[in-house]
Amino acid sequence: MPGKAETVCRSCGRPDPVVVLSLGTTPLADRLLTGAQLDEPEPTAPLDLALCPECSLVQLTTTVPPECLFNEAYPYYSSVSETLLRHSETNAEALIRSRGLNEKSLVLEPAGNDGYMLRNFVRRGIPVLGIDPSEGPASAARAAGVPTLTAFFTRELAGRLRDEGRMADVVIANNVLAHVPDLNGFVQGIRTVLKKSGIAVMEVPYVTDLVEKCAFDTIYHQHLCYFSVAALARLFPRHGLFINRIERLDIHGGSLRLFMETVEAPDSTVDNLLKREKELGVPETAYYLDFARRVGNVQEALTHLLTELKGQGKRIAAYGAAAKATTLMSCCGIDGTLIDYVVDLNPAKHGKYM
């Protein structure tokens, strides 16, 4: 199985982060199969969650190579979600107004997917560049008029863009930081391509929302890290970026929108969240061990309910062939004996098997 055991923190490098939750060995999320592939061996990897006592970063202890996860078969297309389209349009319009963006600006987006965000700037005549490693979404972005490179965003790629004079007024990086094996290289890359007067805007799922809602199904191999403000406040300054404002969002079960600049000037939103995390015990192991206990209760209750319904002769359908469904099904022992079929709006997933 492709997978590398990590023995040091992905952010600060401290040895031996403390395992706080084990979800066993699970299949890779978003690996939907055709009928012809059903007899092939199913790739799996350990899904264990650990906390770094030094910098508070919550992270997986195993890294599956990105090329195994984000390839030509990657089925996630952001534009399928009307909610995400509205969310992104509102974000883009606010950035255009607040930053005074025009035809002389450049907006750059690592992990631009199918152009769902950058097309809002293209419509206003603002130059953009998308970067995405999956050819399917990248091709869809180009077809929508969004210039897009098919590549992983790395420190090296950022250096080439800088040397070509493609420095960004705005870097947008939504729901990508958790996917990156080399956190420090990615953040350094953002700083490399960002103008000194520019701003980086990033959305990440918030670990406190995950814990408080017991949303353990959002833990899967693409998501290598689960961020608190405390952990992020240690990561970014290492590379000359400072979190100066934070918005809490409902999207993806609870997220943070971070506004980062090259000069440190945090407002009250940053300090308030850091204070709240300390009060909740977010940097402490006990916070996550209680979460692990509640995860076990959910697993037991859900498995019991589905087994009972099946015993009554009921048919059960699942709505949404999402990546998180792989974790839920695997950890709760849910398979074709309990679920009759799955439905999803995304045509790229139709006719496939989970």
Side-chain angles (χ1 to χ4, degrees):
M1 163 58 216
K4 176 192 172 192
E6 303 291 347
T7 58
V8 302
C9 174
R10 297 172 186 273
S11 177
C12 72
R14 181 192 187 276
D16 301 320
V18 180
V19 174
V20 291
L21 172 67
S22 178
L23 294 173
T25 298
T26 72
L28 307 184
D30 278 330
R31 188 178 180 271
L32 304 180
L33 306 179
T34 65
Q37 294 175 306
L38 289 178
D39 292 331
E40 296 178 2
E42 183 72 31
T44 60
L47 195 59
D48 295 334
L49 201 65
L51 171 70
C52 175
E54 180 69 26
C55 73
S56 306
L57 181 65
V58 178
Q59 55 203 286
L60 296 189
T61 61
T62 300
T63 300
V64 175
E67 56 272 17
C68 294
L69 301 170
F70 308 105
N71 50 43
E72 67 280 355
Y74 186 57
Y76 184 76
Y77 289 73
S78 298
S79 293
V80 171
S81 170
E82 289 293 335
T83 300
L84 189 57
L85 289 178
R86 290 192 297 270
H87 172 83
S88 302
E89 183 178 14
T90 301
N91 185 11
E93 290 297 329
L95 284 169
I96 291 169
R97 289 193 302 271
S98 66
R99 306 302 295 185
L101 302 179
N102 55 39
E103 70 280 356
K104 295 181 180 179
S105 308
L106 176 64
V107 180
L108 187 145
E109 185 180 18
N113 198 256
D114 60 6
Y116 74 103
M117 166 59 91
L118 290 182
R119 67 189 193 180
N120 294 293
F121 299 96
V122 171
R123 281 199 291 262
R124 298 285 294 271
I126 298 167
V128 304
L129 177 63
I131 301 164
D132 198 277
S134 301
E135 181 55 39
S139 295
R142 289 189 286 268
V146 177
T148 302
L149 303 177
T150 304
F152 286 99
F153 181 76
T154 62
R155 195 191 314 243
E156 292 73 26
L157 176 58
R160 291 199 295 273
L161 293 173
R162 176 200 58 204
D163 294 345
E164 293 169 5
R166 292 201 268 186
M167 296 288 285
D169 297 272
V170 178
V171 175
I172 297 171
N174 292 342
N175 298 296
V176 58
L177 190 64
H179 297 194
V180 176
D182 181 10
L183 281 181
N184 289 289
F186 186 87
V187 175
Q188 183 60 52
I190 290 176
R191 179 63 190 91
T192 298
V193 296
L194 185 67
K195 291 179 181 177
K196 190 173 183 180
S197 59
I199 192 167
V201 184
M202 182 178 292
E203 292 180 16
V204 298
Y206 193 21
V207 73
T208 67
D209 286 309
L210 184 156
V211 170
E212 290 171 8
K213 298 173 184 177
C214 204
F216 69 93
D217 54 346
T218 61
I219 300 169
Y220 47 87
H221 299 107
Q222 281 101 318
H223 290 169
L224 298 170
C225 297
Y226 304 82
F227 298 106
S228 62
V229 178
L232 293 166
R234 289 177 170 90
L235 169 64
F236 290 116
R238 216 178 282 140
H239 305 283
L241 289 173
F242 303 93
I243 305 171
N244 286 340
R245 183 160 67 90
I246 303 175
E247 296 175 0
R248 290 196 68 175
L249 309 170
D250 292 330
I251 199 82
H252 296 304
S255 299
L256 300 174
R257 180 181 288 155
L258 311 163
F259 296 85
M260 292 165 294
E261 297 170 280
T262 62
V263 176
E264 187 173 14
D267 69 9
S268 61
T269 60
V270 181
D271 292 335
N272 289 344
L273 282 172
L274 285 169
K275 182 179 178 182
R276 180 177 182 269
E277 288 180 2
K278 190 172 182 180
E279 291 170 350
L280 289 172
V282 173
E284 307 299 327
T285 305
Y287 183 71
Y288 301 98
L289 294 179
D290 178 69
F291 167 59
R293 178 188 58 77
R294 291 185 288 119
V295 169
N297 293 341
V298 171
Q299 291 172 320
E300 184 178 345
L302 178 58
T303 304
H304 176 75
L305 173 62
L306 295 178
T307 303
E308 190 175 67
L309 289 171
K310 266 301 181 183
Q312 297 170 7
K314 306 287 189 182
R315 298 187 75 216
I316 303 173
Y319 182 73
K324 64 183 67 176
T326 301
T327 297
L328 186 70
M329 292 168 68
S330 178
C331 295
C332 296
I334 299 169
D335 58 17
T337 64
L338 292 175
I339 298 290
D340 292 277
Y341 59 91
V342 183
V343 297
D344 197 281
L345 187 63
N346 186 349
K349 299 181 180 182
H350 294 170
K352 303 287 182 65
Y353 294 82
M354 294 196 75

